């Protein structure tokens, strides 16, 4: 027996458990990992954060479009990979050096 499909659209949710709220939490977790542990390939980020490689790819695309991370093609273990580096880390370091007179 197949279930009838509903064509009713639900209103977008923006509460605590909504998709957009989860995405924001995931972005914050990814940026925090980059701040603490430094640049990594997308596969390494997936291993470090516990997110799937597809989730990492989607988050990196969002952050790259917002100019919050940079990506670079690299070879890792003989395979093509994408290295992700947080633009925020570099800009914060520049700000600290400028404000301290260094």
């Amino acid at each position: 027996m197949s279930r009838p499909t509903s064509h009713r659209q639900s209103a977008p949710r923006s509460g605590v458990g909504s998709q957009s709220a989860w995405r924001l939490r995931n972005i914050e977790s990814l940026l925090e990992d980059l701040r603490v542990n430094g640049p990594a390939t997308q596969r390494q980020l997936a291993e470090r954060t516990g997110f799937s490689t597809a989730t990492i790819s989607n988050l990196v695309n969002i952050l790259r479009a917002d100019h919050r991370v940079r990506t670079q093609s690299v070879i890792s273990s003989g395979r093509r990979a994408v290295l992700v580096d947080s633009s925020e880390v570099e800009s914060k370091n520049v700000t600290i050096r400028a404000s301290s007179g260094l």
Side-chain angles (χ1 to χ4, degrees), residues 1-13:
M1 276 170 59
S2 65
R3 297 167 113 181
T5 57
S6 172
H7 296 286
R8 185 180 76 184
Q9 292 182 333
S10 59
R13 294 174 31 181

Side-chain angles (χ1 to χ4, degrees), residues 22-82:
W22 277 104
R23 186 178 303 115
L24 286 175
R25 279 191 289 267
N26 291 348
I27 285 172
E28 289 170 6
S29 294
L30 180 58
L31 288 173
E32 180 65 17
D33 180 86
L34 287 168
R35 277 192 221 58
V36 171
N37 299 307
T41 65
Q42 289 186 356
R43 178 171 294 283
Q44 291 168 331
L45 288 170
E47 291 169 359
R48 290 185 340 197
T49 61
F51 298 146
S52 71
T53 53
T55 296
I56 292 294
S57 180
N58 289 331
L59 295 175
V60 166
N61 287 336
I62 292 167
L63 290 168
R64 188 175 47 211
D66 287 343
H67 305 286
R68 295 175 72 186
V69 298
R70 290 183 306 268
T71 59
Q72 176 183 346
S73 295
V74 295
I75 302 294
S76 176
S77 302
R79 305 186 89 181
R80 288 184 298 166
V82 176

Side-chain angles (χ1 to χ4, degrees), residues 96-102:
I96 291 168
R97 279 190 221 122
S99 64
S100 65
L102 297 177

Side-chain angles (χ1 to χ4, degrees), residues 34 38-40 68-71 83-90:
L34 287 168
R68 295 175 72 186
V69 298
R70 290 183 306 268
T71 59
L83 184 72
V84 181
D85 188 12
S86 174
S87 302
E88 292 184 339
V89 171
E90 190 170 304

